[in-house]
Structure formats: structure tokens, C-alpha cells
Amino acid sequence: NLRNGTAAVLRTKNIRRAIRAKMLKKRTCSHCGRTGPLSQRSFAYCGGCRQPGVAREHWTRYCSEACQRAHWAAGHKDECPCAKDL
């Protein structure tokens, strides 16, 4: 019975780690890599990456407008779904 309890605790810890990692990804800048605290709202995302057919986990996020502009110039314009429609 102790073995079942230990397995349940490990499953719970793994679930919590996965949730934390997902939350942290929403607070990580795609350009500079800066991360925000989990208490902060998620970073703003690229509007073009939010087009239908692009999964939410693949949306590009930015800590600032300056990083978004720099990432666009550094090559995001070549991979962004909105740019492919042009």
C-alpha cells in the first residue's frame, strides 16, 4: 500500500511540473529568452502566429514590442503564418 501512495505522489509531482513548465513557456520571450514570474500574466504573442491552424503552444511570445520588432527583422517574418499569406 505504501508503494501505491508513493506512486500517487510521484504522479502528482510530475503533473505539477508539467503545468509549471507550460505556464513558464507562456512567460518566456521567443527572442531574448527572458522569463517572467508565474504571478505575471503571460507575455503578448505575435498576432500572425495566432491564425487558425496554428496550435497555441506554437504561438510566438514577446516580453516587449522591441523584442517583437527585433525578432521579426531577425527572421520571424520568414516563418510566421501571416507573412506566408502575403
Side-chain angles (χ1 to χ4, degrees):
N1 205 356
L2 180 61
R3 190 176 293 169
N4 289 340
T6 304
V9 168
L10 288 176
R11 277 194 303 275
T12 302
K13 284 184 179 182
N14 287 337
I15 290 169
R16 286 185 181 162
R17 280 188 198 122
I19 291 170
R20 183 175 169 82
K22 189 174 184 177
M23 289 174 65
L24 190 59
K25 184 174 181 181
K26 291 180 180 182
R27 289 154 184 84
T28 303
C29 181
S30 296
H31 181 66
C32 70
R34 178 179 158 256
T35 58
L38 294 179
S39 60
Q40 177 183 352
R41 293 183 62 168
S42 60
F43 287 158
Y45 46 81
C46 171
C49 290
R50 197 175 157 215
Q51 298 217 358
V54 179
R56 182 177 283 237
E57 64 263 13
H58 298 300
W59 290 358
T60 307
R61 297 185 177 270
Y62 301 105
C63 62
S64 67
E65 187 178 332
C67 272
Q68 184 175 7
R69 290 180 185 277
H71 193 227
W72 185 264
H76 182 63
K77 63 184 170 195
D78 299 326
E79 60 191 33
C80 185
C82 72
K84 292 179 181 170
D85 292 339
L86 299 175

